């Protein structure tokens, strides 16, 4: 399941993030890549333990917490502390699959990567190339979103970032361990939740139909969730 989550960050938050990143020290993006991915990765990244990464990571986590679409699609149990990267002209990331398990930098606690997310921080008109390309059974999906918008997709997906031919693309990226690790079941829960939202627009919450579908949603989540 690939989901476009709009307006995760406000325009003011995007501007603040970019201001902080302007003054940050950037290093080689290979620092957080696995052995195989490091050979395919050609970008820059601010250090994972830097004060800028921690501050902006907290900002992103707060924004995710207030976004119902992200919650509905990811069903988050744990979110890996957000990281920040940039692709300047000539940079790219060849096709790869994200590591299945990632240790948190502070606690060492391991997170299973069920859902990958990219939060765009640069307007698409400011750069050429740099599309995130995600492959699934339906083919390739090219993603280039407005600043402040996020795309989430299964971490099992083969994906890449196309060569930047003009400008610079800045983004936050992170992984989520979902309460429902199976992507097929998670997709059903997301579609079910979206249907409930539509039903509630025309029927009161006290209606038997609304109570029935809402109850079934939570009973399915209770059956499938791993905590």
């Amino acid at each position: 399941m690939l989901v476009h989550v709009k307006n995760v960050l406000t325009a003011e938050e995007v501007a603040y993030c970019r201001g902080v990143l302007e003054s940050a020290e950037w290093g080689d993006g290979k620092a957080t890549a696995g052995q195989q991915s490091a050979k395919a990765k050609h970008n820059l990244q601010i250090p994972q333990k830097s004060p800028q990464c921690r501050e902006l990571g907290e900002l992103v986590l707060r924004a995710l917490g207030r976004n119902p679409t992200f919650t509905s699609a990811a069903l988050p149990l744990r979110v890996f502390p957000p990281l920040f990267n940039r692709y300047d002209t000539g940079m790219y990331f060849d096709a790869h699959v994200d590591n299945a398990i990632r240790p948190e930098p502070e606690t060492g606690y391991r997170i299973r990567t069920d859902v990958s997310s990219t939060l765009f921080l640069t307007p698409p008109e400011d750069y050429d190339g740099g599309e995130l390309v995600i492959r699934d059974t339906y083919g390739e999906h090219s993603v280039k979103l407005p600043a402040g918008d996020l795309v989430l997709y299964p971490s099992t997906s083969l994906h890449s970032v196309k060569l930047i031919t003009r400008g610079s693309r800045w983004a936050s990226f992170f992984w989520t361990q979902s309460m429902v690790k199976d992507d097929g079941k998670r997709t059903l829960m997301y579609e079910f939740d979206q249907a409930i939202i539509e039903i509630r627009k025309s029927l009161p919450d006290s209606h038997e139909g609304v109570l029935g579908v809402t109850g079934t949603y939570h009973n399915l989540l209770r059956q499938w969730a791993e905590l």
Side-chain angles (χ1 to χ4, degrees), residues 9-31:
L9 297 183
T10 65
E12 293 76 16
E13 287 171 327
V14 170
Y16 182 80
C17 287
R18 289 193 57 89
V20 172
L21 294 174
E22 287 279 2
S23 62
E25 181 179 345
W26 295 86
D28 194 329
K30 297 182 191 297

Side-chain angles (χ1 to χ4, degrees), residues 164-178:
I164 293 281
T165 59
R166 178 188 64 90
S168 183
R169 168 201 190 266
W170 297 16
S172 175
F173 64 103
F174 54 91
W175 301 270
T176 301
Q177 180 172 333
S178 178

